[in-house]
Amino acid sequence: MAYTIGIDVGTFETKGVLVDHAGTVIAQAARGHQMLVPQPGWAEHRPEEDWWGDFVFVSQRLLAQSDIDPRDIKAVACSAIGPCMLPVDTEGNPLMNGVLYGVDGRAEKQVQALTDRIGEETIIARCGNALTSQSVGPKILWLKQECPEIYAKTAHILTSTSFLVQRLTGEIVIDHYTAANFSPLYDVTTQSWVSDMADDIVPLEKLPRLLWSGEIAGEITAEAAEATGLAAGTPVTAGTIDAAAEAFSVGVDGPGDMMMMYGSTIFIILRAASPVSDPAIWYAPWLFEGEHASMAGLATSGTLTHWFRDHIARDLEMEDAFSTLAQEAMASPPGANGLLLLPYFSGERTPIHDINAKGAFFGLNLTHTRGDMYRALIEGIAYGTRHVTDTFADLGQRPKRLLAVGGGTQNRLWLQATSDICGLDQVVCEKTTGASYGDAFLAALAIGVVKRADISAWNPVSETIEAAGDPIYEKHYALFRRLYEQTKDLAAELSG
């Protein structure tokens, strides 16, 4: 029988699955790690320990649990958080910690300088996206300007997935979906690396070779085989960003399909019929040639629930904390007894792209309980999510089908509040394993074991969360939008 392995490195945890050709999960494994915040506005991972170390650990556990001969693993695919920025030397060794995706805002000065020099209209027309904290190009320029000694030693700039594929195969590649986040170094109109918009960032030969996610990047080397337990010669795909693999895991495949990923951040992917360019959202070629996707993401979501647990609910046992908090929040009515939260605890990505935005509980009084606060937190995330879905609707991109995925789908309050506040039904599939399951399917697809339509059999629909709505949500959403607008100048002043 043919088996495939998918492994995904997330913000706080790496997960892997080993599946058969019908999508049955034979083994699962996971390993946690931390997001490093060396100073406000920065976010990092340790590539050796958190990316490659986790991959090795998880692959060994999958093989040990399944007791399957590694030679029967016919293909491997990986995904990871992204887009990231990691300089490596000529041997592929990291020269610093990996700089994470849009939650890391260290290159704000470079974003503004490049935008002023190139022009936002040109950037959007050529790159499909305005420059934001999500863009890798400004972060490379930050490296050059702020860490010249590291930049001088840099042989290649990788992202998280590129680093894993390089360790597995020796090949330095990146998929087009991820590369589109390297603005202004990737032109979506030609789907190629370019330097004419900013030739002072990095020589193009230091960027990875471009592939589509379904293409084979190379084969597992003898050295990687010894480390992981996988068989040398096993095909490895080009990989992609975790959110794209997660979308594919629940069947986001046709125009109008939208994924709502409930993870450390809310991340949204819409399969679009044609490119959609607007400063408020992101665009990228989809995983396959000739297809398109529009994306959006909040800066803090699941991360915010962890913050609340760790600081406001220290008295609770960690393993029971979230279920207890959910029960307390359910005792609070919609609208959290007049309490409103701005969820901008790490600034905000789409649609406001404001690194200086601040989080706040508004309306607190002595009658409020922890349950009210936790409900307001969940609703605040959902208001931020609605701001995104409203933006898509304003662009003529209201989803035909909304598929929910990720660890947050286990939080019924969060799911229902999101449907009610956004006014959208959500489909939940049988398997919410996430990106690693999508990776396993993409691996099988790359070697011809399955066809794209087979994902509906691999992961059938389990239930639909219907939008019930509540008048209080309309009132509070309007107040949410006003509260941000009225406090953003103050928030910027607080940032220094």
Side-chain angles (χ1 to χ4, degrees):
M1 182 178 287
Y3 300 92
T4 58
I5 279 180
I7 295 178
D8 172 67
V9 179
T11 304
F12 294 108
E13 188 176 39
T14 297
K15 298 178 182 178
V17 293
L18 188 156
V19 307
D20 65 17
H21 67 281
T24 303
V25 176
I26 308 300
Q28 299 184 67
R31 189 188 198 190
H33 51 252
Q34 297 297 315
M35 181 178 76
L36 306 178
V37 183
Q39 65 183 66
W42 291 26
E44 300 178 352
H45 273 172
R46 303 168 301 169
E48 292 284 6
E49 296 89 342
D50 302 328
W51 297 348
W52 179 239
D54 277 16
F55 188 99
V56 168
F57 176 87
V58 168
S59 64
Q60 290 177 347
R61 288 292 297 271
L62 291 173
L63 293 170
Q65 288 180 23
S66 64
D67 200 29
I68 286 172
D69 189 326
R71 292 171 295 183
D72 290 331
I73 308 298
K74 300 305 180 184
V76 174
C78 60
S79 60
I81 47 153
C84 298
M85 191 277 290
L86 174 68
V88 299
D89 63 19
T90 54
E91 302 300 317
N93 299 310
L95 295 170
M96 61 181 287
N97 282 341
V99 176
L100 301 194
Y101 50 99
V103 296
D104 184 287
R106 71 183 66 193
E108 181 182 13
K109 181 175 70 174
Q110 287 76 18
V111 166
Q112 189 60 55
L114 287 168
T115 300
D116 290 344
R117 189 202 322 171
I118 303 168
E120 186 173 77
E121 289 186 6
T122 298
I123 293 169
I124 293 174
R126 296 278 302 279
C127 303
N129 307 282
L131 294 183
T132 68
S133 64
Q134 189 82 346
S135 308
V136 176
K139 292 176 181 178
I140 303 174
L141 187 57
W142 172 90
L143 176 72
K144 182 178 182 179
Q145 294 175 344
E146 302 295 331
C147 306
E149 70 288 350
I150 294 178
Y151 184 87
K153 299 176 184 177
T154 299
H156 292 97
I157 299 290
L158 305 182
T159 188
S160 47
T161 313
S162 299
F163 180 70
L164 293 174
V165 173
Q166 184 268 335
R167 281 297 171 92
L168 288 167
T169 69
E171 298 292 330
I172 297 176
V173 303
I174 191 171
D175 66 301
H176 285 269
Y177 176 83
T178 306
N181 294 278
F182 274 58
S183 306
L185 299 170
Y186 181 90
D187 189 326
V188 297
T189 65
T190 61
Q191 296 181 340
S192 63
W193 296 124
V194 293
S195 61
D196 62 302
M197 283 182 279
D199 61 4
D200 59 334
I201 296 179
V202 69
L204 298 187
E205 60 267 22
K206 293 191 177 187
L207 299 176
R209 176 166 56 97
L210 292 161
L211 291 176
W212 296 100
S213 297
E215 293 186 277
I216 299 297
E219 297 179 344
I220 290 178
T221 64
E223 183 179 3
E226 183 177 358
T228 62
L230 298 165
T234 304
V236 179
T237 71
T240 190
I241 292 176
D242 56 356
E246 194 140 15
F248 212 70
S249 78
V250 291
V252 172
D253 197 32
D257 285 347
M258 177 183 277
M259 176 201 72
M260 181 82 70
M261 183 178 78
Y262 293 82
S264 55
T265 67
I266 288 283
F267 198 85
I268 294 171
I269 296 178
L270 174 75
R271 270 281 287 111
S274 59
V276 180
S277 295
D278 188 273
I281 60 173
W282 303 309
Y283 164 78
W286 187 225
L287 305 183
F288 308 96
E289 189 170 7
E291 298 181 3
H292 311 279
S294 294
M295 289 76 59
L298 306 188
T300 49
S301 303
T303 304
L304 192 49
T305 66
H306 281 80
W307 172 86
F308 191 92
R309 179 198 65 187
D310 295 342
H311 295 282
I312 311 299
R314 292 178 180 175
D315 58 305
L316 302 178
E317 294 294 332
M318 185 168 290
E319 59 271 20
D320 300 323
F322 284 129
S323 61
T324 301
L325 288 170
Q327 291 171 9
E328 292 178 1
M330 290 296 288
S332 178
N337 284 315
L339 193 55
L340 190 63
L341 176 111
L342 290 181
Y344 308 138
F345 281 49
S346 295
E348 187 55 291
R349 298 192 287 173
T350 56
I352 63 175
H353 298 292
D354 184 354
I355 194 171
N356 293 319
K358 293 289 184 287
F361 281 98
F362 184 77
L364 277 168
N365 62 54
L366 293 177
T367 70
H368 283 121
T369 66
R370 183 170 66 186
D372 292 325
M373 294 179 69
Y374 192 64
R375 182 170 194 115
L377 181 146
I378 294 296
E379 291 176 350
I381 297 170
Y383 293 133
T385 304
R386 175 169 170 180
H387 197 176
V388 172
T389 58
D390 279 359
T391 300
F392 274 105
D394 291 343
L395 294 171
Q397 300 293 323
R398 186 175 177 85
K400 296 177 182 176
R401 189 171 63 135
L402 181 59
L403 299 107
V405 69
T409 58
Q410 305 305 310
N411 187 327
R412 304 296 300 186
L413 174 64
W414 193 359
L415 274 178
Q416 191 64 60
T418 301
S419 279
D420 290 349
I421 288 170
C422 295
L424 295 168
D425 296 346
Q426 296 179 85
V427 172
V428 181
C429 289
E430 187 177 279
K431 297 181 181 72
T432 58
T433 309
S436 59
Y437 193 72
D439 292 329
F441 186 85
L442 286 166
L445 185 66
I447 58 172
V449 174
V450 297
K451 296 180 175 147
R452 287 172 63 168
D454 291 337
I455 190 62
S456 61
W458 272 43
N459 198 6
V461 171
S462 173
E463 63 174 322
T464 299
I465 308 299
E466 296 184 354
D470 191 297
I472 194 67
Y473 288 143
E474 290 301 313
K475 176 184 176 182
H476 276 208
Y477 177 61
L479 292 173
F480 173 89
R481 296 284 298 273
R482 285 173 55 196
L483 184 59
Y484 164 69
E485 291 295 333
Q486 292 174 3
T487 60
K488 63 182 180 181
D489 290 342
L490 176 61
E493 188 173 340
L494 283 170
S495 294

